[in-house]
Amino acid sequence: MYKEIVINVEMNEVRIAVLEDQQLVEYYIENRSRHHILANVYLGEVKAILPGMQAAFIDIGLDKNAFLHASDMDVPPGNLDDLDLSDPENARNNKDKFETKPIESLLKKGQEVLVQVIKEAINTKGPRVSTSLSFPGRNVVIMPTIDHLGVSKKILDKNERDRLRRIIRDNRRGKTGFIVRTEAEGKDDELIKKDMEYLLSIWDEIKKTLEKSTPPALIYEEQDPVLNFLRDSFGSSVNKLTIDDELYYNKIRSYLLRNTPDSADYIVNYTNDIPIFDAFEIENEIKKAFQRKVWLKSGGYIVIDKVEALTPIIVNQEEVSDRLSICIDVNTGRYTGKVNPEETILKTNLEAAHEIARQLRLRDLGGIIVIDFIDMMNVEGREKVISALKEALKRDRSHTKTFEVSPLGLVEMTRKRVKQDLYSVCYEICPYCEGEGMLLSTQCVSMQILRILSRIGIIGAMKKPLVIEANSKVIEFLKENASEKLDEFQKKDIFNIELKEILTFSQTDFRILLEDKDVTEEFK
């Protein structure tokens, strides 16, 4: 597989595309003016402890208090060598397997606590934090609050594991914990030592800053998000990196020369007049990433949204669950097959399994995901589809968990993410429908207005001037369909009515003025 990274640097944002065999599989947008807090370390103050949720809210100096769950506090007991701790996110995912102490026995209100952001604020929820600090380098991860030395489970050779464990054991300081990442396999001893020294220097600076700080305070700020992405993504599997900005090119090259010297030769500074994403045919793929219907090569298609095939009902415990229900429906579409229906369905489902895994990475969708594959009678066929989905998901850097086919023929899975998905980054909630995707009809809005007029009439307005301000469609509906009712109010000498069109009002906006006083909310 040929893997390359293409980076487009513009005035306000940096766009990163990951291609596998010239197909777009990952896409990230970094707003250059946006303040990122992921992996930042703060000295916070405990503001509230909620035993029923086993959580606490921490003031770290941001608009919203941070959320700290008991599972993100103490080190899991047991044998850490049995866990895949090749990166900090895997470490936290595996901590859920162990029991944790009650949060009320670990914290008290007003207590100072050093925390690290493990998930950025998403929508209305504040950031999620952990007291188990970790700082990944290119080859190793330092976990200064954990007395443990480990090697990624993905490194299988026993002699290599022993060599890497010896390096970190001989070069650690005190009881500072280190985990060797998969990328360190085969790397020179000195390169790994250099990585360890750099991470230890970060921890030293944090301790110095901590001594002179009072909560809430920022203790450590993570480096450029683009460099972080390359640190975690630009490994031996990447064949080429192309970037269209000379300053960033030099910055990235210097970073890779310091951390992965062999990789620096794979960077290309793009200087062609054709926009880089056009040259690599990425722009069209990005447009497709926002479409709810994705066509398969066979002629079938998948639909990605919240309402196709089922209506998800999420019972959400505020500030605890940030899971979004994503529904994916598979259809044969134009593909009718050549032999029999079962083979047609199997081929469509297998193709859909690979495309679904790609779309999850590309859109960076997270939470609960329900997939409605086309019904299959053959048990062997269902197993093939599940196996294909799991195999395709192995390329995903985010933590995923896939379950077997349910009695209703649905496949349930979860996908972990720590930042906003592609939709949230590029789209804003519609100010008119407030994210519902539907607007109240002109008839329903008009009936609301008439009901309010009836309530006002009960108090006996007695020929007072009344103005109805609304969207042009609503005004038109009232004139054409409710003129008799409006005339009735006037004939009863209740009030004189004026209909006034307001161009800036949405279909659901309206205002009722009685003697120039807004009485809309009073009688609504």
Side-chain angles (χ1 to χ4, degrees):
M1 180 180 65
Y2 188 84
K3 184 175 181 178
E4 56 187 322
I5 298 174
V6 181
I7 302 178
N8 168 225
V9 181
E10 296 178 326
M11 182 176 65
N12 293 321
E13 64 184 20
V14 177
R15 300 189 298 166
I16 304 172
V18 179
L19 308 177
E20 291 177 355
D21 293 333
Q22 298 183 323
Q23 185 179 43
L24 183 66
V25 294
E26 294 179 31
Y27 176 60
Y28 303 94
I29 301 175
E30 295 294 345
N31 189 328
R32 302 179 76 177
S33 60
R34 181 172 175 266
H35 181 61
H36 293 272
I37 64 170
L38 187 65
N40 284 2
V41 176
Y42 295 87
L43 179 61
E45 180 182 346
V46 179
K47 287 298 182 182
I49 299 175
L50 291 77
M53 295 167 59
Q54 279 303 291
F57 290 103
I58 315 294
D59 178 13
I60 58 175
L62 303 178
D63 293 338
K64 295 182 181 294
N65 287 338
F67 176 79
L68 173 63
H69 194 265
S71 63
D72 291 315
M73 286 204 62
D74 47 4
V75 181
N79 186 1
L80 290 176
D81 285 323
D82 291 338
L83 305 180
D84 181 6
L85 301 181
S86 56
D87 64 61
E89 187 58 35
N90 278 339
R92 296 188 183 100
N93 289 334
N94 282 295
K95 284 178 68 174
D96 294 337
K97 299 177 182 178
F98 298 92
E99 293 183 3
T100 55
K101 295 179 182 178
I103 196 161
E104 58 268 31
S105 69
L106 301 172
L107 294 175
K108 61 181 180 180
K109 191 174 179 180
Q111 179 180 336
E112 294 183 5
V113 58
L114 189 67
V115 295
Q116 184 175 39
V117 177
I118 59 174
K119 180 175 287 188
E120 296 230 26
I122 298 178
N123 298 327
T124 61
K125 297 172 183 174
R128 183 163 179 165
V129 295
S130 171
T131 59
S132 298
L133 309 184
S134 61
F135 306 95
R138 191 71 185 91
N139 303 292
V140 297
V141 177
I142 185 172
M143 304 180 80
T145 59
I146 298 178
D147 179 14
H148 173 75
L149 302 180
V151 179
S152 168
K153 288 175 66 177
K154 294 179 182 179
I155 300 176
L156 302 177
D157 185 83
K158 183 180 182 303
N159 292 331
E160 178 65 1
R161 292 179 64 85
D162 291 341
R163 179 185 77 91
L164 294 170
R165 191 181 296 276
R166 174 184 54 78
I167 295 172
I168 58 174
R169 184 185 64 240
D170 294 346
N171 293 277
R172 73 187 299 204
R173 186 191 302 160
K175 294 184 178 182
T176 304
F178 279 96
I179 306 294
V180 179
R181 305 186 74 175
T182 309
E183 189 61 32
E185 186 172 14
K187 293 289 177 64
D188 183 78
D189 291 23
E190 290 301 319
L191 197 62
I192 297 173
K193 290 178 187 177
K194 189 176 179 180
D195 208 8
M196 291 179 68
E197 290 170 1
Y198 170 68
L199 295 175
L200 285 167
S201 69
I202 290 177
W203 180 234
D204 288 339
E205 287 300 316
I206 289 174
K207 290 189 290 185
K208 288 179 183 178
T209 306
L210 190 59
E211 290 175 358
K212 53 187 179 183
S213 301
T214 56
L218 173 64
I219 304 300
Y220 167 78
E221 188 167 17
E222 186 61 296
Q223 65 179 358
D224 189 317
V226 177
L227 295 183
N228 286 345
F229 173 84
L230 294 176
R231 176 195 65 202
D232 297 330
S233 303
F234 198 90
S236 55
S237 61
V238 177
N239 302 94
K240 186 179 179 183
L241 185 151
T242 308
I243 185 167
D244 62 359
D245 183 85
E246 188 173 2
L247 289 176
Y248 243 112
Y249 166 79
N250 292 327
K251 188 177 183 179
I252 293 172
R253 185 173 174 80
S254 298
Y255 172 79
L256 291 177
L257 281 171
R258 183 177 73 246
N259 293 279
T260 318
D262 295 342
S263 302
D265 295 333
Y266 300 140
I267 309 176
V268 176
N269 184 21
Y270 183 84
T271 57
N272 201 304
D273 290 336
I274 301 173
I276 188 169
F277 272 25
D278 288 341
F280 282 82
E281 299 181 355
I282 296 172
E283 290 291 4
N284 286 334
E285 288 298 314
I286 294 172
K287 291 178 183 176
K288 293 177 184 178
F290 295 110
Q291 296 174 359
R292 65 186 292 268
K293 180 182 285 188
V294 180
W295 288 97
L296 305 174
K297 290 181 180 179
S298 65
Y301 64 89
I302 62 175
V303 177
I304 304 174
D305 58 20
K306 289 192 254 182
V307 293
E308 186 81 16
L310 59 85
T311 301
I313 301 175
I314 303 299
V315 180
N316 188 8
Q317 195 171 5
E318 185 64 24
E319 299 295 349
V320 174
S321 173
D322 60 358
R323 298 177 296 178
L324 174 68
S325 180
I326 305 295
C327 303
I328 303 176
D329 189 36
V330 182
N331 298 274
T332 53
R334 296 188 296 257
Y335 180 58
T336 57
K338 296 180 180 179
V339 184
N340 61 61
E342 194 68 18
E343 288 190 15
T344 301
I345 291 170
L346 176 60
K347 182 176 179 180
T348 303
N349 281 341
L350 287 173
E351 193 175 350
H354 290 280
E355 185 61 28
I356 287 167
R358 184 178 83 95
Q359 290 293 330
L360 294 179
R361 294 172 64 190
L362 178 57
R363 303 175 191 226
D364 199 17
L365 298 174
I368 300 171
I369 299 160
V370 179
I371 307 170
D372 184 15
F373 285 106
I374 304 170
D375 291 341
M376 301 182 66
M377 302 299 294
N378 190 305
V379 175
E380 184 181 350
R382 289 202 296 267
E383 291 176 349
K384 283 182 180 180
V385 172
I386 293 296
S387 177
L389 179 63
K390 290 180 178 180
E391 185 64 29
L393 288 170
K394 287 181 180 179
R395 297 181 181 180
D396 196 337
R397 294 188 298 119
S398 293
H399 182 74
T400 61
K401 185 180 292 185
T402 307
F403 301 91
E404 299 304 317
V405 180
S406 75
L408 292 176
L410 305 174
V411 175
E412 300 168 4
M413 63 170 291
T414 61
R415 184 176 185 271
K416 186 107 172 171
R417 62 184 172 88
V418 297
K419 297 193 296 183
Q420 291 183 317
D421 60 37
L422 199 55
Y423 291 115
S424 302
V425 171
C426 297
Y427 285 84
E428 295 179 349
I429 293 176
C430 171
Y432 302 123
C433 72
E434 296 182 348
E436 292 293 330
M438 302 283 284
L439 287 175
L440 204 61
S441 69
T442 54
Q443 177 175 328
C444 287
V445 175
S446 300
M447 295 308 296
Q448 280 187 354
I449 292 172
L450 294 176
R451 282 191 286 270
I452 292 175
L453 295 186
S454 296
R455 294 186 188 111
I456 297 174
I458 292 173
I459 66 170
M462 301 303 293
K463 274 297 181 183
K464 293 181 180 178
L466 183 142
V467 180
I468 300 172
E469 297 181 342
N471 176 274
S472 58
K473 291 183 179 179
V474 175
I475 295 296
E476 183 180 349
F477 185 92
L478 287 170
K479 287 179 179 179
E480 293 181 359
N481 300 280
S483 57
E484 290 185 9
K485 185 68 174 176
L486 295 176
D487 288 342
E488 184 181 321
F489 284 119
Q490 297 190 106
K491 287 176 182 177
K492 289 181 178 180
D493 291 335
I494 298 176
F495 29 59
N496 294 317
I497 299 174
E498 177 188 350
L499 299 180
K500 188 175 181 180
E501 178 184 324
I502 305 296
L503 296 176
T504 57
F505 276 16
S506 77
Q507 185 169 301
T508 58
D509 291 336
F510 65 87
R511 185 167 57 186
I512 297 176
L513 304 177
L514 183 62
E515 288 190 305
D516 295 328
K517 178 186 175 183
D518 187 352
V519 296
T520 314
E521 293 302 322
E522 183 180 345
F523 290 93
K524 206 167 188 179

